[in-house]
Amino acid sequence: DLADQVSLSLPGFVLGDADDPLHLSADGTRVAVASGDATNVYENGVLINAFQGRALEWFDDGRLLVDLGGALRIYDSSGQLQPAPDPALPSNHLGVHIASATEIYSQFYNTIHSVDSGEEVWSCDLSDVGTAAASYAVFTSRKAPHKVFFDNY
């Protein structure tokens, strides 16, 4: 039964390559497709928004984290760019993960930042690789490479 499947076809564009992967919203109805420095957002296969910036991850069904010329910013579901926090969010988008509805984790800096205020809410200088979810930072440490640490923040 294919009733619950959606297909998306964009002539001349390869979806989901290593440099520009597909990003599905939490409920799966929206997909953000980055191509270079621009992003198209589709809902149930229909283009609903297009804007500057490279899609990185969805916070939820209505907010998308993007790299906008080296700055991490958020677009809402109507395609409106949200005000930038002060201080700014970390500039390196490599290894950025959504930690919660209001926070991002940066693997590059090993920090967690509020997307509303830009403030650093957690950091650790002992970590090599990590991620964050459900109020925990999870990481390995250079000092104990065979252990995994869970730090409640």
Side-chain angles (χ1 to χ4, degrees):
D1 181 5
L2 299 176
D4 294 327
Q5 295 188 4
V6 175
S7 66
L8 178 64
S9 174
L10 301 173
F13 185 76
V14 177
L15 292 175
D17 65 20
D19 293 329
D20 293 315
L22 297 174
H23 300 281
L24 291 174
S25 64
D27 70 0
T29 61
R30 292 185 176 157
V31 60
V33 181
S35 179
D37 292 331
T39 295
N40 291 330
V41 177
Y42 298 85
E43 184 171 27
N44 296 320
V46 177
L47 179 66
I48 61 168
N49 280 311
F51 45 79
Q52 290 298 310
R54 186 171 179 268
L56 297 176
E57 292 208 29
W58 288 93
F59 282 95
D60 47 40
D61 296 324
R63 295 180 308 139
L64 181 65
L65 181 68
V66 299
D67 174 4
L68 188 60
L72 296 180
R73 299 290 301 277
I74 300 169
Y75 279 97
D76 69 14
S77 60
S78 67
Q80 296 298 307
L81 185 62
Q82 299 303 290
D86 183 26
L89 296 173
S91 60
N92 190 317
H93 71 272
L94 299 174
V96 171
H97 303 285
I98 303 302
S100 73
T102 60
E103 298 166 328
I104 61 168
Y105 171 80
S106 170
Q107 270 187 328
F108 186 81
Y109 298 106
N110 199 34
T111 55
I112 296 173
H113 292 263
S114 165
V115 296
D116 297 325
S117 70
E119 291 183 54
E120 183 179 290
V121 296
W122 180 89
S123 69
C124 178
D125 61 358
L126 302 174
S127 175
D128 285 329
V129 177
T131 192
S135 297
Y136 283 91
V138 182
F139 57 94
T140 61
S141 171
R142 289 179 225 103
K143 293 186 177 189
H146 302 292
K147 292 184 178 180
V148 175
F149 294 89
F150 294 78
D151 190 8
N152 192 318
Y153 65 92

